[in-house]
Amino acid sequence: MTRTIHLSLDINGGRYDLDVEPRVTLLDALREHLALTGTKKGCDQGQCGACTCHVDGKRVLSCLTLAAQVEGRQVTTIEGIAAENGELHPVQAAFVEHDAFQCGYCTPGQIMSAVACIREGHAGSDEEIREYMSGNLCRCGAYNNIVAAVREAAEMA
Amino acid sequence: MTIMEPRKHGDASDGMVGGRQTRFEGNLKVTGGATYALEYPIEGVAHAVLLQSTIPAGRVTSVDTSKAKAAPGVLLILTPDDDLGLMTASDWYGNRPENQPYHPLPREVSFNGQSIVAVIAESREQALEAAKLICVTYAQTPAVASIDDPKAGEGKVMGNLTIGWGDAEAALAAAPIRIEGEYSTPREYHVAMEPHGLTVKWDGDQLTVWEPSQWSHGMARSYSEWFGIPYENVRLISPFIGGGFGSKGAALAYSAVAAFAAKKLGRPVKLAVTRPQNFTSYGGRAATRQKIKLGATEDGVLQAIVHRGASETSTYMDYPEQTGAATPILYKVENFSSQHRVVPVNTVTPGALRGPGKNPSAFGIESAMEELAYKLGMDPLELRLKNYADHDYQSGKPWSTRRLREALTEGAAAFGWSKRSHEPRSMRDGNQLVGWGIGCGTFPVIQAPSEAMIRILGNGRVEVVSGAIDMGQGTYTILAQTVAEVFGIPVDQVEVHLGDSRLPGSAIAGGSMLAGSILGAVHKAATAARDELIGLALSDEKSPLRDTGANTLTFSGGRIAVPRDQGPSLSLPELMAALGRDEIETRRNTLPDGATPQEHHQAWTTMAKVQGPTMGEFSMHSWCAHFAEVRVDEDFGTVRVSRIVSAFDCGRLYNPRLVESQWRGGIIMGIGQALLEEGLVDQRNGRTVNNNMGDYLVPTNADVSDIQVISVGIPDYGASALGGKGVGEVGIVGVAPAIANAVFHATGKRVRDLPITLEKLI
């Protein structure tokens, strides 16, 4: 397969044009073609959550989404949630304050999931947060602190 | 060296050593700005993928690459037919076989899932597609699938792991109370969130490698030896690493393949090891088996421990997972015997995974101790305190510090252990059986020489530079705190540069040895830089502090001043400007004075200079006691860990916020080990069946509830220059037996083979 398709993607409010093979995933488009490497590849098979992005405000696994599927939709990645002046999103700030990560590799996916989890109204209790954040694995084991961070950010929201 | 007394800190913004400073590189990690190995924009990069063997043992007789070669975008295919011209590199200790060729894509297959072919193409998608078109033909030979394979046999005794004192067999025979158990743990895997892989680029005979690494200098050495180029020609870059847990301390076969391909093609190559391939590209924790016999008096005084253990290894290397590692040092016992065997099977050579040796070892002895407690009708806490080891009975040496008693008593108080009802199945909440259990853990204090550089810049910023690694333990943060304290400046005035083999050498980020080792060097270098600055400030004719008559200066609150004096004080940039200096640079290491360049190279690139826990006058270890509560559904046998309280003696904590995170991480990995994690082997062909994150289960957020961690340590200046002991490894050690003991207390069923899955309880 050598045919390429032209895509024009709306990512973090900006327009990105690229020519890729139709089988290129959104994750690989971000990381390999657009230098947006904040979104992480942990398994490439939809099991770990490290690649979580938002498409039209809803969380998706970008490793199981083709880049071609998101044309005409709004994609948000970890690079796009802080304020324009660089001020951290409340979830990002809460992750730093609560030490909700160690190696940092699952962190962008955790934060994108957390932002959506709060927006979905699924951050009402620690138990609910645990359940709705369970699609994002953290092998360093920062789960207690992730729950604390999401809870604090939800209370501020 | 001046040792600063530890001070009490409570303020979250406190940047001094021992303060709860937030993670130094935190903003980079939460914004996606931290760059990991495969994320560097490299012009013209080609993509490599691996093809792995589908038989457990035999020989590759042919590789048909004709269709793949014709596929779009394919640049190069490497097979066992290609002689890459590489030479075998040294082992970790620096021993190197002479003139031994190295074949990272071997013709002889030793395990299922061994990399045998690499395809390099313009894009990863093209390489993957072409790899599917390759047809490998094998001549298969008989194989041993796992330690459970009847053909595996008894294995071979590791002489250096046969230890004993007293007369254990006689004392056991004479003991009025005896218990005996056989404990087993399965293959377990690191599953770091960042998969392995690398990008390599040659410029002439200069090699740059972007690869996640727990040890930049040691891995750079492997590349130089494989390719026969000077060590100085290799630069390995790894400022951020997405978890390691023991898996990223060595350059591996695929690393050599990628570097060769880049050389052959004359362009950079990126090789991403897929998640399934990660399960066989390097070894996880070996499966283990242990038989333990304990003899005691009727009032619970241990008389003898007899331990016989075994672990899987590969057919081409003896790697022991030391099941007798914790057994001899947790309790006072006058008669002891331990032996460990390795059983070769057709697997990739197992490796170090968090708490190597100590972890499965503690599962054995800590399960057995509770079995003894129930046989005696004694509270398991009381049994442990009764047999408290006053010194190290194995080495005969006194402990440097051992606050395990405090860990047990303070942990028990925080947990509410006194409210326990002793009989199994005697605590219940509706249809849930509630159980409580204890597991103790330990990990030795290991030290290695390290080096660091300090640069005071004209603008007043201070740089600390080291090849050390931060894989999430907090190296950036504690180095910044150490320098901030020495210079009396805020942490944000410090810059930290890490993770590059061109930078000063460092202990590996493994074996819990990095913090204690590197901080000694950083503190020494920073103090020397400060002393040099003091010397200049008091002697340089341009210095406003010259005529004060002082013989030293204080560094505090960002100001440099004469002690107890109302005279002039200057900020760091003001003093540097007055002195007319752009930079003051010092470099210090913790090798003996007069070490030769060869000794430096050996110290940074091998394990030859590593100091073990009993090489001095003391026996030095971290200690912990875990208290676990489980709730077992009486009908379905499902186990939930409802809370854990763990108390640790890790000496002085350089940053309690980060230490607590590491402890929790170890405990959570221990929950996985107790209840979820198990590498499954197809006994027909030695294949790792569950080689992915959906089938090899690691704990999720919903699997983890409240965990309370407590520090009971005191500074141990025998263990390290600044008083800390190791933190990262010990957290997992003892968790699995605490949970297994709690499950027994809840259900009356003793599960001796991990993980504790529901079919073992119904």
Side-chain angles (χ1 to χ4, degrees):
Chain A
M1 192 190 298
T2 51
R3 185 172 63 91
T4 61
I5 54 172
H6 181 81
L7 297 176
S8 183
L9 302 183
D10 174 355
I11 303 169
N12 301 328
R15 180 129 321 258
Y16 291 82
D17 283 80
L18 67 165
D19 293 293
V20 291
E21 295 185 37
R23 61 188 163 185
V24 169
T25 63
L26 174 58
L27 175 60
D28 284 335
L30 292 169
R31 287 171 62 82
E32 304 290 339
H33 297 272
L34 300 174
L36 289 168
T37 55
T39 306
K40 303 304 179 195
K41 182 183 281 190
C43 69
D44 213 17
Q45 47 191 171
Q47 296 173 332
C48 78
C51 67
T52 304
C53 296
H54 296 172
V55 173
D56 292 339
K58 296 208 166 92
R59 38 181 165 170
V60 301
L61 297 172
S62 62
C63 76
L64 295 187
T65 306
L66 293 172
Q69 285 175 277
V70 299
E71 215 177 20
R73 303 173 73 182
Q74 286 187 328
V75 178
T76 310
T77 70
I78 189 68
E79 290 93 345
I81 62 165
E84 280 188 8
N85 65 5
E87 191 181 329
L88 296 180
H89 185 282
V91 173
Q92 291 173 310
F95 266 61
V96 174
E97 182 55 35
H98 289 276
D99 205 35
F101 53 92
Q102 292 176 44
C103 79
Y105 199 78
C106 74
T107 311
Q110 299 278 1
I111 290 172
M112 297 309 286
S113 242
V115 170
C117 176
I118 294 168
R119 195 186 290 147
E120 292 158 11
H122 288 143
S125 67
D126 286 2
E127 271 167 24
E128 197 178 25
I129 293 168
R130 283 177 187 139
E131 198 64 33
Y132 282 88
M133 289 297 293
S134 277
N136 292 79
L137 300 178
C138 169
R139 188 56 161 165
C140 296
Y143 292 132
N144 291 166
N145 296 348
I146 290 169
V147 172
V150 176
R151 183 177 59 224
E152 182 185 276
E155 284 164 3
M156 289 164 59
Chain B
M1 184 192 305
T2 318
I3 301 293
M4 308 248 176
E5 282 300 308
R7 303 181 224 153
K8 282 281 180 195
H9 297 273
D11 182 349
S13 63
D14 195 330
M16 299 299 110
V17 177
R20 299 182 69 87
Q21 173 71 38
T22 54
R23 214 166 275 271
F24 189 74
E25 76 290 9
N27 278 27
L28 285 176
K29 286 179 173 172
V30 299
T31 56
T35 306
Y36 296 79
L38 295 187
E39 299 172 349
Y40 287 82
I42 313 289
E43 192 80 17
V45 72
H47 295 262
V49 303
L50 299 167
L51 204 67
Q52 298 186 324
S53 65
T54 55
I55 62 162
R59 187 176 170 79
V60 175
T61 53
S62 73
V63 181
D64 181 354
T65 60
S66 53
K67 285 183 188 158
K69 273 183 179 151
V74 171
L75 300 166
L76 177 68
I77 298 174
L78 297 170
T79 77
D81 292 334
D82 296 290
D83 180 4
L84 309 191
L86 308 181
M87 299 305 286
T88 299
S90 313
D91 66 15
W92 274 31
Y93 296 94
N95 306 308
R96 189 175 184 198
E98 277 186 38
N99 298 322
Q100 189 174 308
Y102 176 48
H103 301 291
L105 298 171
R107 183 167 299 283
E108 302 297 330
V109 174
S110 302
F111 56 94
N112 200 320
Q114 187 166 18
S115 294
I116 48 171
V117 175
V119 180
I120 301 96
E122 293 287 350
S123 76
R124 194 180 64 89
E125 291 82 0
Q126 289 171 329
L128 276 173
E129 194 67 27
K132 291 178 193 159
L133 304 174
I134 289 174
C135 185
V136 182
T137 311
Y138 304 94
Q140 197 169 337
T141 54
V144 179
S146 76
I147 198 168
D148 295 322
D149 188 325
K151 297 191 293 295
E154 292 292 304
K156 38 191 167 180
V157 172
M158 300 292 284
N160 61 330
L161 300 179
T162 300
I163 54 172
W165 58 87
D167 188 339
E169 294 288 354
L172 181 73
I177 306 292
R178 290 190 291 269
I179 66 105
E180 183 177 340
E182 187 167 351
Y183 306 91
S184 67
T185 65
R187 289 186 195 174
E188 292 152 3
Y189 294 92
H190 305 85
V191 198
M193 291 301 295
E194 176 200 32
H196 284 223
L198 70 162
T199 304
V200 276
K201 180 171 180 278
W202 289 87
D203 297 289
D205 63 350
Q206 303 280 321
L207 175 64
T208 307
V209 183
W210 293 266
E211 183 170 20
S213 171
Q214 294 179 233
W215 191 25
S216 57
H217 292 71
M219 285 170 62
R221 173 180 49 76
S222 295
Y223 287 91
S224 75
E225 292 177 352
W226 286 335
F227 289 92
I229 57 176
Y231 174 75
E232 293 70 28
N233 288 18
V234 181
R235 181 179 182 195
L236 190 140
I237 298 171
S238 181
F240 294 102
I241 140 171
F245 313 113
S247 71
K248 291 172 177 168
L252 298 162
Y254 61 79
S255 313
V257 172
F260 174 84
K263 191 173 185 179
K264 175 106 176 165
L265 290 171
R267 62 188 277 192
V269 167
K270 180 187 288 193
L271 187 155
V273 181
T274 68
R275 180 54 67 181
Q277 290 173 344
N278 269 262
F279 283 76
T280 55
S281 291
Y282 50 92
R285 193 194 312 281
T288 71
R289 305 288 182 263
Q290 298 177 69
K291 287 180 186 162
I292 296 177
K293 297 176 187 173
L294 302 181
T297 63
E298 279 166 358
D299 57 352
V301 178
L302 265 182
Q303 300 295 295
I305 299 176
V306 176
H307 169 270
R308 296 291 177 267
S311 60
E312 279 185 343
T313 190
S314 68
T315 55
Y316 55 95
M317 192 184 291
D318 291 342
Y319 179 93
E321 179 71 23
Q322 303 178 21
T323 56
T327 328
I329 66 164
L330 281 175
Y331 299 103
K332 172 180 178 174
V333 63
E334 305 281 1
N335 302 285
F336 182 88
S337 167
S338 175
Q339 190 183 75
H340 184 87
R341 292 168 178 267
V342 289
V343 180
V345 307
N346 290 97
T347 174
V348 61
T349 305
L353 204 178
R354 205 170 201 165
K358 300 293 182 293
N359 176 339
S361 180
F363 176 63
I365 185 66
E366 285 299 280
S367 296
M369 283 298 281
E370 292 235 353
E371 297 207 47
L372 179 62
Y374 284 97
K375 178 121 182 193
L376 291 160
M378 182 182 279
D379 182 332
L381 175 64
E382 186 189 342
L383 179 70
R384 286 179 170 88
L385 291 171
K386 190 163 206 163
N387 291 285
Y388 196 76
D390 54 322
H391 69 276
D392 177 357
Y393 282 74
Q394 183 179 0
S395 69
K397 294 182 179 179
W399 308 115
S400 56
T401 51
R402 190 189 205 239
R403 306 263 299 169
L404 181 56
R405 185 191 305 279
E406 289 76 6
L408 280 163
T409 54
E410 293 182 30
F415 186 81
W417 184 260
S418 61
K419 295 194 270 298
R420 171 179 175 272
S421 146
H422 181 74
E423 285 307 307
R425 300 180 71 89
S426 64
M427 290 166 55
R428 163 187 293 275
D429 180 5
N431 69 338
Q432 291 181 327
L433 301 168
V434 178
W436 291 358
I438 301 175
C440 292
T442 179
F443 201 83
V445 174
I446 308 168
Q447 302 170 84
S450 294
E451 188 166 58
M453 186 162 73
I454 297 287
R455 272 197 217 110
I456 309 170
L457 303 180
N459 62 9
R461 298 188 70 74
V462 182
E463 294 183 337
V464 52
V465 180
S466 162
I469 296 298
D470 192 332
M471 56 176 173
Q473 339 87 291
T475 313
Y476 282 105
T477 314
I478 61 172
L479 263 56
Q481 288 176 276
T482 304
V483 171
E485 177 165 290
V486 169
F487 289 96
I489 55 176
V491 161
D492 59 16
Q493 206 172 320
V494 181
E495 290 177 22
V496 187
H497 301 284
L498 298 179
D500 186 328
S501 65
R502 292 273 172 95
L503 304 182
S506 160
I508 188 172
S512 284
M513 75 175 89
L514 178 55
S517 301
I518 189 66
L519 282 194
V522 167
H523 190 268
K524 193 174 177 179
T527 308
R530 187 184 61 182
D531 289 347
E532 188 177 338
L533 187 61
I534 292 172
L536 289 168
L538 295 179
S539 64
D540 192 301
E541 58 185 18
K542 300 190 289 292
S543 168
L545 298 166
R546 184 189 176 201
D547 297 324
T548 55
N551 57 10
T552 190
L553 296 170
T554 60
F555 289 70
S556 179
R559 309 294 295 178
I560 301 154
V562 173
R564 294 175 298 280
D565 188 83
Q566 301 303 311
S569 82
L570 286 83
S571 68
L572 209 43
E574 285 165 357
L575 179 58
M576 290 292 279
L579 295 170
R581 299 286 296 246
D582 292 333
E583 186 175 302
I584 292 174
E585 181 179 300
T586 62
R587 191 167 174 141
R588 291 288 184 279
N589 62 61
T590 53
L591 282 169
D593 290 339
T596 64
Q598 288 80 3
E599 286 171 318
H600 276 244
H601 181 68
Q602 183 192 38
W604 318 139
T605 66
T606 77
M607 295 285 172
K609 303 245 181 233
V610 170
Q611 295 278 311
T614 56
M615 289 169 89
E617 56 184 312
F618 294 106
S619 180
M620 306 186 294
H621 310 263
S622 288
W623 306 96
C624 65
H626 304 283
F627 296 78
E629 176 183 278
V630 300
R631 287 163 180 268
V632 183
D633 186 290
E634 193 173 13
D635 300 317
F636 297 110
T638 47
V639 181
R640 303 282 299 174
V641 177
S642 44
R643 65 192 178 100
I644 289 186
V645 175
S646 301
F648 291 88
D649 166 17
C650 295
R652 181 186 180 202
L653 309 183
Y654 305 128
N655 182 324
R657 180 195 301 256
L658 272 50
V659 168
E660 288 160 11
S661 291
Q662 272 210 82
W663 284 341
R664 289 173 192 277
I667 293 162
I668 290 168
M669 204 178 271
I671 293 173
Q673 179 184 31
L675 301 179
L676 301 168
E677 298 185 34
E678 178 176 25
L680 298 169
V681 184
D682 189 328
Q683 295 299 316
R684 298 167 304 176
N685 54 28
R687 182 173 159 263
T688 306
V689 177
N690 52 345
N691 59 355
N692 61 79
M693 293 163 105
D695 293 318
Y696 181 84
L697 303 179
V698 301
T700 68
N701 206 321
D703 294 313
V704 177
S705 55
D706 292 334
I707 297 172
Q708 182 184 352
V709 291
I710 300 166
S711 173
V712 298
I714 53 174
D716 184 338
Y717 295 114
S720 65
L722 300 191
K725 302 195 277 190
V727 162
E729 309 267 12
V730 73
I732 191 173
V733 183
V735 174
I739 293 170
N741 293 335
V743 168
F744 175 78
H745 185 229
T747 65
K749 286 185 179 154
R750 172 60 61 179
V751 179
R752 299 185 182 86
D753 56 326
L754 295 180
I756 304 165
T757 44
L758 54 85
E759 77 277 9
K760 295 174 186 171
L761 294 174
I762 293 176

